[in-house]
Amino acid sequence: MRLKALLTQRFTAAMRSAGIPEDCSPMVALSGKPKFGDYQANGSMGAAKRMKTSPRDLAAEILEHIDLEGIAEKLEIAGPGFINIHLSKPFLAENLNQAKPRELEPEDQQTVVIDYSSPNLAKEMHVGHLRSTIIGDSLARVLEYQGHIVKRQNHMGDWGTQFGMLIAELEMHLGEGEQAELALDDLELFYQQSKKHFDEDPDFANKAREYVVKLQSGDAHCRKLWHKFIKVSVAHSLDIYQRLNVGLLEAHIQPESAYNDALETVVDDLSNQGIAVDSDGAKVVFLPELADKNGNPSPMLVKKSGGGFLYATSDLAALRYRVNELHADRILYFIDARQSLHMKQVFITGRKAGYIPKRVRMEHHPFGTMMGEDGRPFKTRSGGTVKLADLLVEAVQRAERLVREKNNNLSEEQVKDIANKVGIGAVKYADLSITRTNDYIFDWDSMLSFEGNTAPYLQYAYTRISSIFRKAGKNPGTISAEIDIIKSQEKALALKLIQFEEVIDQVAIDCYPHTLCTYLYELASVFMAFYEFCPILKKDVPEATQNSRLKLSALSAATLAQGLDLLGIEVMEQM
Ligand code: ARG
């Protein structure tokens, strides 16, 4: 059982025996400082207020009834009535020896659909797609690690008016004898060219409009061109995912066009239920739940007067698919905060229409914007959008320079491998370690620093431990020592290690991966202190102590590697 849960359970029992009402909770929390113990139970104050008695007396009463035999070595009442809990060293040691992930009870296993990355295919992936891609991927890893069934859904935008323009442009290139792959080599440029034609050439614009309609009504020629375009654009995204070490594969792509045949049904159904109504020839859902301050309901268009369907219509169809075909218990959306209203509209309508049973949870987990050093949305020097592909190349190049500066005993192949893991890791970690909902400033120097809360620092801590084992001539996987906790740094390290699963539980619930980053940073720091004060390989260290410390080191390395893996970041044996 998780430590905090165990303490909460014991304190709750003691409070009941002390006659404290059911609804008073013990409020167990981590202590802010070691002198206040490892955990604190802060519930006496609240309970005393309810019972109109003194919190310190109540705390004493709770301690009369508490059973923490073999778990805590000291309990003390502090300040107005806090209970400081000092855990027993043998208890920590014993629990560490058996550290392993909890088995999920079958009834707790959920099918979790995760909608992430989901770029629009009309353009090349740019930095705006980074956050959804890596935050969503981290959550997929965390939930899978816990034993849930994860269904990744890449809701790519492959449909809509822009594609008329793009296929008209492609047709022109092919007509001049060019290969599709070549014409689409630079998707960004291709998009700009076609937009220019669209804006400047009325014949082209008319053709583009005609092609949208033809495409949507299944015209073979338009479909063929569209397929060619989509194929190249998808391949480009898949390449980015691979470079980013993100687990999105072709099989996870369920693009907007996959819902074409369901859109009419959705609109008919909403109309029949009276949820969508006619409005100037269009079909609109009006939502009083989201009314503005003048009481006007919030409108969500589901069918245009000209007959076309919308982003919201596909999202409603996707919801039905996710519930009926994918059997989701929980649906997570990692989308920019600017789409919050859209998500609310879709969720409320999905419930109203009966597409989403009560037991299914829908959660939009928004995030802020990635900013440049000037504090404005990240752009190229000339003000254009930064292609994700270029950004990743630069990350690896910068990391390579650093690796070459630091260590020249590495083979060329090792340098490349390390540069790749450090560069990509740094970009991902810089994003994941910031509270998701905040904007953050993209800064090469700080993300690639070997000091502070960065990927290179954690990767470096891991290599330090690897080098201890190389020196000792031992394999971290096969150390089977009894852990004996003597010094305070050993205790601090043991306590941190035990808390790993608790942190993972938290991330799985609130989908804030920065909590895991903070934890790993603290773990690495606590390890460094342990390493400084608790000699391992020195001559005069008794063998049992040496083995215990090696075991603590091995567990630290394994926990760092596991934690980083849940963030999609790789480690290496040396750097
Ligand atoms: N393609 C959209 C965009 O780039 C994001 C899609 C997010 N997922 C969804 N189900 N709406 O803005």
Side-chain angles (χ1 to χ4, degrees), residues 115 118-120 129 155 157 256 311 315 322 333 335 339 342-343:
D115 182 323
S118 308
N120 286 335
H129 297 114
H155 189 85
E256 286 186 37
Y311 185 46
D315 258 324
R322 290 166 185 188
Y333 293 79
I335 317 178
Q339 294 193 26
H342 164 77
M343 287 326 301

